[in-house]
Amino acid sequence: MTATKQNNTVKGFNVTRLLLILGLAVLLCGEGYSGYQLHTLSKQQEQIKSDYSDINNITLGLFSVTQWQDKITGIVNHQVKHFTLTPKQKKDLQVEVQQILLALINKAEGLLNKKPTSLGGKIKKLAVKTFVNTDTIKAQVPAFAKKIIAKIDNPKNKSKLSNLAMSKFDEAKQSGYLDSTITANDSVRNIMFKKYQVSSSEELNKKLTASLNSIRAQTYNYSFGMLGCIVAVLMLWWIFRKRVELHAALFIMSLLFAFILLAVGLTASMVEVDARVSSLDFVLLGEHVVFKNQVLFFQSKSILDVVEVLIKQPAVDSIGVGILILAFSILFPIMKLSSTGIHLLSKRKLAENKVIKYFAFQSGKWSMADVIVIAILMTYIGLNGLLERQLASLNIKSDALTIITTNNTALQPGYIIFISFVLFGLVLSTILKAITPYDSH
């Protein structure tokens, strides 16, 4: 009877362990899927924001010859074509024209009244006095002036004047520097238009902004999904804290959860630096010239990206820093997680191996994962404050000029996941010391 009860108890333990493993496997798949989606969306977001910063870079906007040429051309063209004279201005201008015409007639009359010195001059003077009545011409001056003003205000003539003004801008396009600059800028825009299947910068910005908003919401949803899986694992530890026979399986599965957190935390973007002039507005020839979303600087990096950048630098000190970050913030955590699993599952001889015990219980003080978390946070706080102050000094608000800057620097979901890994790793270290059947010192 006793043997039967023992068999039933063993079977019960096995069923419970199997159900626990299956339940954790489902959770692990959920965390893995969320992590994969978060990693993919993080790379998509980085690429889209990079494209957004390229197409809205200040070199293609505020510092672009093409943009200035288009804006000034439009203003001049509009000013000339839509130039109108008020009744008072027409009256004043007509008086001015009349005075000019009368002055010309008086000048001509004075020349004619001079005594000619030659026979030909006397004949010309006689002919003019005979056939030209200056008083009659002077009487017609107001009508002449009125016709001249009407000609100036004629839409066809204003169009010709506009074309003449625009021809001066066309001449500027002929210089080699402008040609090469415009060609390079157009090439960048055409590539972006083709990539996102749009036909204008406005349409492209609208599409990119909508994509980024959607991706941002999804990344945080998947981040919370991963954290929810970790919370569920910790709850299971609390529920089964007295079920010693389940601890080994629960711990090994917990290590797999930690590995996924580490992988996503290392590869997903952690911090994003984005400084821009959101609006620059000034008045030129009575019309507003506006530049929107002029990106000054953009960078988005994960920990692995930082390591890669440092190692590829020619300077020895940069390479050294990259190797240190790689060793103490990436390789050490991996070795620590692996060693804890080996220590718990192996026989005493291997479990108490000095190297295994060192990485399982003592390597934490050499791991810089927690230091990296704090360093990134402090860097973000310092850099964010610096950018805020520097950009604020560019803000100008007046009747003639308005400049509004924006600092979009922000921590990304990858940072949240990496913090979660560090905290979860500390919890697992504490649990391992409590459940290990071997010496932990």
Side-chain angles (χ1 to χ4, degrees):
M1 192 75 174
T2 303
T4 304
K5 288 183 178 180
Q6 289 180 346
N7 289 334
N8 291 336
T9 302
V10 171
K11 289 181 180 179
F13 287 160
N14 290 336
V15 171
T16 303
R17 185 184 293 111
L18 179 61
L19 291 176
L20 176 63
I21 293 174
L22 288 176
L24 287 172
V26 172
L27 275 178
L28 187 67
C29 290
E31 186 198 24
Y33 176 78
S34 297
Y36 173 77
Q37 291 296 329
L38 176 58
H39 170 79
T40 302
L41 289 171
S42 178
K43 294 302 179 184
Q44 288 180 6
Q45 177 177 275
E46 185 177 341
Q47 182 60 56
I48 292 175
K49 284 197 172 182
S50 179
D51 290 342
Y52 182 91
S53 66
D54 287 342
I55 200 66
N56 291 283
N57 194 278
I58 194 169
T59 57
L60 294 181
L62 187 58
F63 292 165
S64 170
V65 177
T66 307
Q67 290 290 321
W68 279 98
Q69 178 179 288
D70 291 343
K71 290 180 182 295
I72 293 176
T73 299
I75 290 174
V76 173
N77 192 31
H78 180 268
Q79 289 286 339
V80 174
K81 283 188 175 180
H82 295 83
F83 175 73
T84 56
L85 292 171
T86 64
K88 184 178 183 305
Q89 289 173 331
K90 289 181 180 180
K91 184 177 180 181
D92 294 341
L93 185 58
Q94 185 175 333
V95 171
E96 292 289 337
V97 173
Q98 287 178 201
Q99 292 176 353
I100 293 172
L101 291 176
L102 288 173
L104 289 174
I105 293 172
N106 291 333
K107 183 69 173 178
E109 189 177 16
L111 292 174
L112 289 173
N113 289 332
K114 285 184 178 181
K115 187 176 181 180
T117 57
S118 63
L119 179 61
K122 292 179 180 180
I123 295 173
K124 288 180 181 178
K125 182 177 180 180
L126 178 62
V128 170
K129 283 186 171 291
T130 303
F131 296 104
V132 177
N133 188 337
T134 55
D135 292 335
T136 303
I137 294 176
K138 288 180 180 180
Q140 295 176 350
V141 164
F144 289 155
K146 190 173 183 179
K147 287 183 179 181
I148 291 172
I149 300 302
K151 284 286 185 181
I152 292 175
D153 205 34
N154 185 281
K156 291 183 179 180
N157 292 330
K158 285 198 292 185
S159 178
K160 291 179 181 179
L161 184 59
S162 175
N163 293 334
L164 178 62
M166 292 305 103
S167 67
K168 298 301 179 182
F169 288 97
D170 292 335
E171 291 177 6
K173 296 180 181 179
Q174 304 306 316
S175 69
Y177 171 76
L178 292 186
D179 281 345
S180 60
T181 303
I182 292 172
T183 300
N185 292 349
D186 287 344
S187 176
V188 173
R189 288 191 179 88
N190 290 335
I191 291 173
M192 293 296 178
F193 291 169
K194 184 177 181 180
K195 180 177 180 179
Y196 292 98
Q197 299 180 345
V198 295
S199 57
S200 67
S201 296
E202 292 75 14
E203 187 179 355
L204 176 60
N205 285 334
K206 185 176 180 181
K207 188 171 185 177
L208 293 182
T209 301
S211 298
L212 288 173
N213 290 336
S214 175
I215 289 176
R216 187 179 298 109
Q218 292 181 64
T219 53
Y220 278 101
N221 287 338
Y222 286 120
S223 297
F224 294 144
M226 293 184 70
L227 297 182
C229 293
I230 298 302
V231 170
V233 171
L234 294 176
M235 290 178 64
L236 288 174
W237 271 108
W238 176 257
I239 293 171
F240 296 114
R241 62 189 182 279
K242 296 181 180 180
R243 301 288 295 274
V244 179
E245 72 280 0
L246 301 177
H247 287 173
L250 185 54
F251 190 83
I252 296 304
M253 294 299 292
S254 298
L255 289 179
L256 297 179
F257 282 89
F259 272 115
I260 293 177
L261 283 178
L262 177 61
V264 176
L266 292 175
T267 56
S269 177
M270 298 189 73
V271 63
E272 189 176 88
V273 183
D274 184 347
R276 66 181 67 180
V277 177
S278 60
S279 177
L280 186 148
D281 186 344
F282 62 95
V283 179
L284 179 64
L285 296 178
E287 296 193 23
H288 286 272
V289 177
V290 181
F291 290 91
K292 294 284 189 181
N293 288 324
Q294 302 294 291
V295 178
L296 300 172
F297 181 81
F298 171 79
Q299 280 292 326
S300 179
K301 297 294 182 184
S302 65
I303 293 180
L304 283 182
D305 291 335
V306 172
V307 171
E308 182 181 1
V309 169
L310 289 172
I311 291 179
K312 287 183 177 180
Q313 296 298 313
V316 177
D317 53 350
S318 297
I319 296 174
V321 173
I323 292 174
L324 288 175
I325 295 176
L326 175 64
F328 292 107
S329 296
I330 300 176
L331 298 181
F332 260 64
I334 293 175
M335 291 297 297
K336 178 178 175 60
L337 291 178
S338 302
S339 297
T340 53
I342 294 173
H343 173 82
L344 191 63
L345 293 179
S346 302
K347 295 182 179 180
R348 180 177 294 274
K349 183 177 181 179
L350 181 59
E352 296 190 350
N353 179 275
K354 291 183 178 180
V355 176
I356 297 299
K357 285 183 66 176
Y358 172 78
F359 277 105
F361 298 104
Q362 301 177 32
S363 64
K365 59 185 178 181
W366 292 101
S367 175
M368 292 173 58
D370 50 348
V371 177
I372 285 290
V373 167
I374 297 173
I376 291 175
L377 178 61
M378 298 305 295
T379 300
Y380 163 72
I381 294 173
L383 182 60
N384 192 53
L386 177 63
L387 286 175
E388 288 286 356
R389 289 194 298 272
Q390 294 299 319
L391 292 176
S393 65
L394 296 177
N395 289 333
I396 300 174
K397 291 185 178 181
S398 66
D399 294 337
L401 174 64
T402 300
I403 300 177
I404 301 174
T405 58
T406 303
N407 175 25
N408 291 329
T409 300
L411 294 173
Q412 298 299 301
Y415 182 74
I416 299 174
I417 299 303
F418 197 73
I419 289 179
S420 301
F421 162 74
V422 172
L423 296 177
F424 190 52
L426 293 174
V427 173
L428 290 182
S429 295
T430 303
I431 291 174
L432 179 62
K433 291 179 181 179
I435 68 173
T436 179
Y438 310 113
D439 182 19
S440 63
H441 300 289

